[in-house]
Amino acid sequence: MKAVGIIFSNIHDNNVPELSRIRTLGSIPFGGRYRLIDFPLSNMVNSGIDTVGIITKNNYQSLMDHVGSGKDWDLARKDGGLILLPPYGNMESSTLYATRLEALKGITNFLFRADEEYVVMTDCDSICRINYNQVIEHHIRNHADITFVYKRIDTEGFSYKNCTTFDIVDGRIVDLHAEGSNIEKEYHNVSTNVCVMKKSLLQNIVMDSISHNKHHFIADVIAPNLGSMKIMGFEHKGYYAGITSLQAYYDSSMSILNANVRNEVFGDRSVFTKIRDSAPTKYGNSAIVKNSMIADGCIIEGEVENSIIFRNVKVARGTVVKNSIIMQNTVLGENSSLNCIITDKNVVIRDRKVLSGSENHPFYVGKGIMI
């Protein structure tokens, strides 16, 4: 069952405008040393998919720097491998795409060159581990036209923002609800934005959308064909976190401080990322660290609790960092206090500063800002 992978790196940039203003959603840092694109890309590699096209749009310099030739995912190959697909994929395109279907119109050459039978499409807004082979097997076994992966989530604490949910009867998707739906239910079948279909069907969908001026994959293709096509759901029963807002990014980051979640997401080292040869982290005599993830290359002389510290961060003496996400190359001066803070890269917090957000409203400090 040979499959080609397609990853949309920009589709959900508006979910987290604070972090995607200068980068794609796919290149948002996560978990101390990873980027969001590492999760779908690693899922594909672990599922034996060795031809992967990454659709870009804008602000993708950091994405190109991160994925490079695909060597760190064993995708630097003469045939297939990792292929970055620019937003202007054919001569007919003169404007940046705005939707998933428009993005697919721009990669028709890539689709027609691929010789794999199936296509696995995914976004970069999910933290999960999925074996795509199981999805393809489920798709074939049920003689489906299209199969979507979903996660069943209890209504309590569920945010409807930026999610598509499915109504499923006997495994078949019979109705869907667009982003922002407020239907009262005990649980919701939330789309993980992963779908499988035959490549030939996707080609037909794209060509039909070009000839009939269709723009939206869900609204113009899936919704009108729920009755005429067999569109199935595949339930993902493992850990799943959707990056639908800055709050969701914060919550999902904090969740990996839980050992059970961390072992499920990162267990057996199956999430790959770009390797950087940084020195080990140095802990000073006054350092205190509790329940935190600290990447390499850091200097920790203060106190860090329930926090995620990225590479090459300095926490000076007397400074206390709690419930925070501190990204790469940030410098925290002496005797400062940070609680529920997200700092982007290259931030400087000077001595004796006090910054505090809350668990349901973290405070964000933009890239390169000095306070």
Side-chain angles (χ1 to χ4, degrees):
M1 296 179 298
K2 293 290 289 182
V4 60
I6 297 175
I7 299 177
F8 297 85
S9 67
N10 286 86
I11 287 293
H12 301 284
D13 282 359
N14 291 334
N15 287 6
V16 196
E18 300 90 345
L19 294 171
S20 61
R21 190 173 292 114
I22 56 173
R23 57 171 73 90
T24 70
L25 186 85
S27 59
I28 289 177
F30 186 87
R33 58 194 296 263
Y34 301 92
R35 304 289 182 114
L36 290 184
I37 198 170
D38 292 338
F39 296 93
L41 195 52
S42 297
N43 285 336
M44 288 191 173
V45 171
N46 292 327
S47 301
I49 298 174
D50 54 18
T51 300
V52 180
I54 301 176
I55 301 180
T56 60
K57 184 178 181 181
N58 50 24
N59 291 335
Y60 54 89
Q61 181 62 48
S62 62
L63 182 70
M64 293 173 62
D65 175 67
H66 180 70
V67 300
S69 65
K71 175 176 64 69
D72 294 303
W73 294 265
D74 193 28
L75 289 175
R77 301 165 181 253
K78 290 183 178 179
D79 296 320
L82 182 69
I83 303 168
L84 283 170
L85 302 170
Y88 305 106
N90 57 53
M91 297 302 292
E92 297 176 0
S93 299
S94 59
T95 58
L96 288 172
Y97 64 83
T99 68
R100 186 187 312 276
L101 194 53
E102 290 176 358
L104 289 170
K105 291 177 185 179
I107 64 162
T108 52
N109 292 335
F110 171 77
L111 287 175
F112 279 98
R113 286 199 307 269
D115 57 8
E116 290 82 0
E117 184 176 3
Y118 293 93
V119 176
V120 177
M121 296 194 297
T122 181
D123 298 342
C124 293
D125 63 336
S126 301
I127 307 298
C128 61
R129 290 174 61 186
I130 298 178
N131 185 338
Y132 295 136
N133 287 323
Q134 295 177 356
V135 185
I136 296 172
E137 289 169 2
H138 181 272
H139 176 84
I140 295 172
R141 187 166 58 249
N142 288 279
H143 306 286
D145 293 308
I146 303 173
T147 298
F148 284 91
V149 179
Y150 68 93
K151 175 68 176 178
R152 178 169 166 160
I153 298 178
D154 293 337
T155 295
E156 184 178 358
F158 172 69
S159 171
Y160 296 90
K161 182 181 179 182
N162 301 324
C163 292
T164 298
T165 60
F166 301 131
D167 289 345
I168 298 177
V169 177
D170 296 329
R172 183 167 179 169
I173 297 174
V174 296
D175 200 1
L176 57 85
H177 307 281
E179 301 171 356
S181 172
N182 263 324
I183 296 175
E184 295 286 339
K185 292 185 177 181
E186 294 181 3
Y187 63 88
H188 294 269
N189 300 315
V190 179
S191 172
T192 65
N193 296 313
V194 175
C195 76
V196 169
M197 70 182 79
K198 281 193 172 182
K199 189 195 71 170
S200 57
L201 175 59
L202 181 59
Q203 288 173 329
N204 291 337
I205 287 172
V206 172
M207 299 312 294
D208 180 70
S209 69
I210 292 174
S211 60
H212 291 89
N213 199 29
K214 297 178 181 178
H215 298 284
H216 298 276
F217 186 69
I218 295 294
D220 296 339
V221 176
I222 302 302
N225 290 295
L226 287 174
S228 59
M229 298 175 67
K230 191 173 185 181
I231 302 178
M232 301 294 292
F234 176 91
E235 183 180 1
H236 171 63
K237 296 185 178 181
Y239 175 84
Y240 167 80
I243 309 301
T244 58
S245 64
L246 184 67
Q247 181 68 52
Y249 171 81
Y250 177 82
D251 292 341
S252 59
S253 296
M254 292 295 104
S255 72
I256 63 174
L257 295 177
N258 180 303
N260 294 330
V261 172
R262 187 166 60 251
N263 289 336
E264 182 175 348
V265 175
F266 298 107
D268 63 31
R269 299 183 179 181
S270 59
V271 180
F272 308 108
T273 190
K274 181 178 180 179
I275 301 299
R276 298 182 185 273
D277 297 322
S278 301
T281 288
K282 177 182 178 182
Y283 297 91
N285 294 331
S286 58
I288 300 174
V289 177
K290 301 176 183 177
N291 191 40
S292 297
M293 292 179 64
I294 298 181
D296 46 4
C298 297
I299 299 175
I300 308 297
E301 296 176 332
E303 181 178 348
V304 179
E305 182 176 349
N306 297 326
S307 296
I308 298 173
I309 310 296
F310 284 72
R311 293 183 175 104
N312 302 319
V313 169
K314 180 178 180 181
V315 180
R317 185 185 301 271
T319 288
V320 178
V321 181
K322 293 184 178 181
N323 310 308
S324 296
I325 303 168
I326 310 299
M327 293 189 192
Q328 187 173 327
N329 296 322
T330 292
V331 176
L332 306 180
E334 295 183 355
N335 301 311
S336 292
S337 174
L338 284 75
N339 181 52
C340 297
I341 302 296
I342 302 173
T343 71
D344 212 314
K345 298 168 66 174
N346 303 312
V347 168
V348 176
I349 308 295
R350 292 181 174 178
D351 299 348
R352 296 178 296 280
K353 296 294 184 292
V354 177
L355 301 178
S356 182
S358 65
E359 291 184 356
N360 58 5
H361 196 93
F363 181 72
Y364 170 72
V365 181
K367 182 178 179 179
I369 287 179
M370 178 180 293
I371 297 178

